[in-house]
Short mmCIF file of all heavy atoms in Angstrom, two decimals:
data_model
loop_
_atom_site.label_atom_id
_atom_site.label_comp_id
_atom_site.label_asym_id
_atom_site.label_seq_id
_atom_site.Cartn_x
_atom_site.Cartn_y
_atom_site.Cartn_z
N ILE X 1 9.77 13.42 -30.11
CA ILE X 1 10.07 12.33 -31.12
C ILE X 1 8.97 11.38 -31.10
O ILE X 1 8.67 10.89 -30.03
CB ILE X 1 11.37 11.83 -31.00
CG1 ILE X 1 12.55 12.77 -31.19
CG2 ILE X 1 11.58 10.62 -32.06
CD1 ILE X 1 13.97 12.27 -31.03
N LEU X 2 8.39 10.99 -32.28
CA LEU X 2 7.33 9.94 -32.46
C LEU X 2 7.90 9.06 -33.43
O LEU X 2 8.40 9.19 -34.48
CB LEU X 2 6.11 10.56 -33.00
CG LEU X 2 4.89 9.62 -33.27
CD1 LEU X 2 4.48 8.99 -31.95
CD2 LEU X 2 3.70 10.33 -33.87
N VAL X 3 8.01 7.77 -32.87
CA VAL X 3 8.61 6.57 -33.67
C VAL X 3 7.70 5.42 -34.06
O VAL X 3 7.04 4.94 -33.04
CB VAL X 3 9.82 6.00 -32.77
CG1 VAL X 3 10.56 4.98 -33.70
CG2 VAL X 3 10.87 7.05 -32.40
N ILE X 4 7.65 5.08 -35.33
CA ILE X 4 6.95 3.84 -35.68
C ILE X 4 8.03 2.86 -35.82
O ILE X 4 9.11 3.08 -36.50
CB ILE X 4 6.22 3.99 -37.02
CG1 ILE X 4 5.01 4.99 -36.95
CG2 ILE X 4 5.85 2.59 -37.61
CD1 ILE X 4 4.36 5.22 -38.32
N GLU X 5 7.90 1.70 -35.23
CA GLU X 5 8.92 0.67 -35.33
C GLU X 5 8.35 -0.73 -35.23
O GLU X 5 7.55 -0.91 -34.23
CB GLU X 5 10.04 0.91 -34.31
CG GLU X 5 11.24 0.01 -34.41
CD GLU X 5 11.77 -0.12 -35.79
OE1 GLU X 5 12.20 0.96 -36.33
OE2 GLU X 5 11.77 -1.22 -36.44
N HIS X 6 8.78 -1.67 -35.95
CA HIS X 6 8.30 -3.08 -35.82
C HIS X 6 9.11 -3.93 -34.97
O HIS X 6 8.66 -4.87 -34.33
CB HIS X 6 8.19 -3.85 -37.23
CG HIS X 6 6.96 -3.43 -38.01
ND1 HIS X 6 5.69 -3.85 -37.57
CD2 HIS X 6 6.74 -2.71 -39.05
CE1 HIS X 6 4.78 -3.45 -38.40
NE2 HIS X 6 5.41 -2.80 -39.37
N ASP X 7 10.41 -3.48 -34.76
CA ASP X 7 11.34 -4.23 -33.91
C ASP X 7 11.00 -3.85 -32.41
O ASP X 7 11.20 -2.78 -31.99
CB ASP X 7 12.84 -3.86 -34.22
CG ASP X 7 13.76 -4.78 -33.42
OD1 ASP X 7 13.67 -4.85 -32.20
OD2 ASP X 7 14.66 -5.37 -34.10
N MET X 8 10.44 -4.83 -31.65
CA MET X 8 9.93 -4.54 -30.34
C MET X 8 11.12 -4.22 -29.46
O MET X 8 10.84 -3.39 -28.48
CB MET X 8 9.13 -5.76 -29.82
CG MET X 8 7.97 -6.08 -30.62
SD MET X 8 6.84 -4.61 -30.81
CE MET X 8 6.38 -4.31 -29.15
N ARG X 9 12.25 -4.78 -29.60
CA ARG X 9 13.31 -4.48 -28.78
C ARG X 9 13.69 -3.03 -28.88
O ARG X 9 14.06 -2.30 -27.98
CB ARG X 9 14.56 -5.37 -29.03
CG ARG X 9 15.72 -5.10 -28.14
CD ARG X 9 16.77 -6.22 -28.36
NE ARG X 9 16.24 -7.53 -28.16
CZ ARG X 9 16.87 -8.71 -28.34
NH1 ARG X 9 18.10 -8.65 -28.78
NH2 ARG X 9 16.35 -9.82 -28.02
N VAL X 10 13.74 -2.48 -30.14
CA VAL X 10 14.10 -1.12 -30.31
C VAL X 10 12.98 -0.15 -29.88
O VAL X 10 13.29 0.85 -28.97
CB VAL X 10 14.21 -0.75 -31.96
CG1 VAL X 10 14.26 0.71 -32.17
CG2 VAL X 10 15.40 -1.57 -32.47
N VAL X 11 11.75 -0.39 -30.14
CA VAL X 11 10.68 0.53 -29.74
C VAL X 11 10.44 0.58 -28.25
O VAL X 11 10.25 1.60 -27.64
CB VAL X 11 9.42 0.31 -30.56
CG1 VAL X 11 8.67 -0.90 -30.02
CG2 VAL X 11 8.57 1.51 -30.52
N MET X 12 10.55 -0.63 -27.61
CA MET X 12 10.41 -0.67 -26.12
C MET X 12 11.62 -0.16 -25.41
O MET X 12 11.53 0.28 -24.31
CB MET X 12 10.01 -2.11 -25.71
CG MET X 12 8.56 -2.37 -26.20
SD MET X 12 7.81 -3.74 -25.28
CE MET X 12 6.12 -3.83 -25.83
N GLY X 13 12.78 -0.31 -26.13
CA GLY X 13 13.92 0.19 -25.51
C GLY X 13 14.11 1.67 -25.50
O GLY X 13 14.77 2.30 -24.67
N VAL X 14 13.47 2.35 -26.52
CA VAL X 14 13.71 3.75 -26.73
C VAL X 14 12.52 4.62 -26.19
O VAL X 14 12.68 5.79 -25.88
CB VAL X 14 14.02 4.21 -28.10
CG1 VAL X 14 12.85 4.09 -29.00
CG2 VAL X 14 14.77 5.41 -28.25
N SER X 15 11.35 4.06 -26.16
CA SER X 15 10.16 4.83 -25.96
C SER X 15 9.84 5.04 -24.39
O SER X 15 9.99 4.00 -23.70
CB SER X 15 8.98 4.22 -26.64
OG SER X 15 9.19 4.12 -28.02
N GLU X 16 9.42 6.08 -23.97
CA GLU X 16 9.01 6.41 -22.67
C GLU X 16 7.46 5.86 -22.43
O GLU X 16 7.13 5.58 -21.36
CB GLU X 16 9.11 7.86 -22.33
CG GLU X 16 10.53 8.31 -22.29
CD GLU X 16 10.72 9.81 -22.54
OE1 GLU X 16 9.82 10.46 -22.88
OE2 GLU X 16 11.82 10.24 -22.31
N ARG X 17 6.71 6.02 -23.58
CA ARG X 17 5.33 5.53 -23.62
C ARG X 17 5.01 5.02 -25.00
O ARG X 17 5.71 5.52 -25.97
CB ARG X 17 4.40 6.47 -23.02
CG ARG X 17 4.26 7.80 -23.68
CD ARG X 17 3.21 8.75 -22.94
NE ARG X 17 3.26 10.12 -23.49
CZ ARG X 17 2.31 10.47 -24.39
NH1 ARG X 17 1.40 9.63 -24.71
NH2 ARG X 17 2.34 11.75 -24.82
N LEU X 18 3.99 4.27 -25.09
CA LEU X 18 3.65 3.64 -26.35
C LEU X 18 2.15 3.87 -26.70
O LEU X 18 1.31 4.05 -25.82
CB LEU X 18 3.83 2.15 -26.42
CG LEU X 18 5.31 1.74 -26.38
CD1 LEU X 18 5.39 0.21 -26.10
CD2 LEU X 18 6.05 2.11 -27.66
N ILE X 19 1.72 3.90 -28.03
CA ILE X 19 0.36 3.92 -28.37
C ILE X 19 0.29 2.82 -29.44
O ILE X 19 1.17 2.62 -30.27
CB ILE X 19 -0.03 5.33 -28.96
CG1 ILE X 19 -1.52 5.19 -29.51
CG2 ILE X 19 0.89 5.80 -30.19
CD1 ILE X 19 -2.03 6.56 -29.91
N VAL X 20 -0.82 2.04 -29.33
CA VAL X 20 -0.91 0.81 -30.07
C VAL X 20 -2.17 0.92 -30.99
O VAL X 20 -3.25 1.21 -30.41
CB VAL X 20 -1.01 -0.44 -29.25
CG1 VAL X 20 -0.99 -1.66 -30.17
CG2 VAL X 20 0.07 -0.47 -28.16
N LEU X 21 -2.02 0.73 -32.32
CA LEU X 21 -3.17 0.86 -33.21
C LEU X 21 -3.47 -0.60 -33.80
O LEU X 21 -2.50 -1.40 -33.96
CB LEU X 21 -2.84 1.79 -34.33
CG LEU X 21 -2.52 3.24 -34.02
CD1 LEU X 21 -2.33 3.98 -35.40
CD2 LEU X 21 -3.75 3.83 -33.21
N ASP X 22 -4.69 -0.79 -34.10
CA ASP X 22 -5.11 -2.07 -34.82
C ASP X 22 -6.33 -1.61 -35.63
O ASP X 22 -7.34 -1.23 -35.07
CB ASP X 22 -5.42 -3.15 -33.88
CG ASP X 22 -5.70 -4.38 -34.50
OD1 ASP X 22 -5.21 -4.66 -35.66
OD2 ASP X 22 -6.47 -5.26 -33.94
N HIS X 23 -6.25 -1.79 -37.00
CA HIS X 23 -7.32 -1.41 -37.94
C HIS X 23 -7.75 0.01 -37.67
O HIS X 23 -8.95 0.26 -37.77
CB HIS X 23 -8.44 -2.39 -37.74
CG HIS X 23 -8.17 -3.86 -38.29
ND1 HIS X 23 -7.66 -4.82 -37.29
CD2 HIS X 23 -8.19 -4.41 -39.43
CE1 HIS X 23 -7.51 -5.89 -38.03
NE2 HIS X 23 -7.73 -5.72 -39.27
N GLY X 24 -6.78 0.85 -37.53
CA GLY X 24 -7.03 2.29 -37.41
C GLY X 24 -7.66 2.71 -36.05
O GLY X 24 -7.78 3.91 -35.82
N VAL X 25 -7.76 1.83 -35.06
CA VAL X 25 -8.35 2.13 -33.80
C VAL X 25 -7.22 1.93 -32.76
O VAL X 25 -6.36 1.03 -32.78
CB VAL X 25 -9.41 1.08 -33.38
CG1 VAL X 25 -9.96 1.34 -31.91
CG2 VAL X 25 -10.59 1.26 -34.43
N THR X 26 -7.21 2.90 -31.79
CA THR X 26 -6.21 2.85 -30.69
C THR X 26 -6.69 1.88 -29.66
O THR X 26 -7.85 2.03 -29.08
CB THR X 26 -6.00 4.29 -29.93
OG1 THR X 26 -5.65 5.19 -31.01
CG2 THR X 26 -5.04 4.16 -28.84
N ILE X 27 -5.94 0.70 -29.46
CA ILE X 27 -6.42 -0.36 -28.59
C ILE X 27 -5.67 -0.20 -27.31
O ILE X 27 -6.07 -0.92 -26.32
CB ILE X 27 -6.21 -1.69 -29.16
CG1 ILE X 27 -4.77 -1.96 -29.56
CG2 ILE X 27 -7.08 -1.81 -30.48
CD1 ILE X 27 -4.50 -3.41 -29.89
N SER X 28 -4.56 0.52 -27.09
CA SER X 28 -3.85 0.64 -25.89
C SER X 28 -2.84 1.74 -25.87
O SER X 28 -2.43 2.11 -27.01
CB SER X 28 -3.03 -0.78 -25.67
OG SER X 28 -2.44 -0.71 -24.35
N ARG X 29 -2.54 2.23 -24.69
CA ARG X 29 -1.58 3.28 -24.57
C ARG X 29 -0.97 3.24 -23.14
O ARG X 29 -1.72 2.78 -22.27
CB ARG X 29 -2.09 4.68 -24.97
CG ARG X 29 -3.24 5.21 -24.08
CD ARG X 29 -3.59 6.56 -24.49
NE ARG X 29 -4.40 6.60 -25.60
CZ ARG X 29 -4.19 7.45 -26.69
NH1 ARG X 29 -3.23 8.32 -26.56
NH2 ARG X 29 -5.01 7.44 -27.76
N GLY X 30 0.29 3.52 -22.93
CA GLY X 30 0.87 3.43 -21.65
C GLY X 30 2.39 3.30 -21.74
O GLY X 30 2.91 3.43 -22.79
N THR X 31 3.03 2.92 -20.61
CA THR X 31 4.42 2.70 -20.58
C THR X 31 4.68 1.33 -21.37
O THR X 31 3.79 0.51 -21.50
CB THR X 31 4.89 2.61 -19.24
OG1 THR X 31 4.28 1.33 -18.64
CG2 THR X 31 4.62 3.72 -18.40
N PRO X 32 5.90 1.03 -21.88
CA PRO X 32 6.13 -0.18 -22.50
C PRO X 32 5.79 -1.36 -21.63
O PRO X 32 5.26 -2.35 -22.17
CB PRO X 32 7.72 -0.10 -22.73
CG PRO X 32 7.95 1.40 -22.78
CD PRO X 32 7.07 2.00 -21.88
N GLU X 33 5.99 -1.24 -20.30
CA GLU X 33 5.75 -2.34 -19.40
C GLU X 33 4.22 -2.60 -19.44
O GLU X 33 3.78 -3.74 -19.42
CB GLU X 33 6.17 -2.08 -17.97
CG GLU X 33 6.03 -3.18 -17.04
CD GLU X 33 6.95 -4.40 -17.41
OE1 GLU X 33 7.92 -4.25 -18.10
OE2 GLU X 33 6.59 -5.51 -16.82
N GLN X 34 3.39 -1.56 -19.31
CA GLN X 34 1.92 -1.69 -19.31
C GLN X 34 1.43 -2.32 -20.68
O GLN X 34 0.61 -3.17 -20.63
CB GLN X 34 1.35 -0.31 -19.08
CG GLN X 34 1.58 0.15 -17.73
CD GLN X 34 1.03 1.60 -17.50
OE1 GLN X 34 1.09 2.40 -18.51
NE2 GLN X 34 0.77 2.07 -16.35
#
């Protein structure tokens, strides 16, 4: 499952890892804590 979500509590609560985009570029990836 791949989830886009603006609510940080939801996305960090459900995701095992995250990918972060900004202006089309991947700026970070890792666990929610990272």
Side-chain angles (χ1 to χ4, degrees):
I1 299 180
L2 180 60
V3 183
I4 291 175
E5 185 52 61
H6 278 294
D7 188 308
M8 297 307 297
R9 185 171 299 176
V10 170
V11 75
M12 290 199 171
V14 77
S15 302
E16 295 158 347
R17 59 187 176 94
L18 294 169
I19 179 170
V20 189
L21 300 181
D22 186 30
H23 294 92
V25 177
T26 301
I27 62 170
S28 185
R29 61 177 78 227
T31 66
E33 185 67 20
Q34 291 169 333

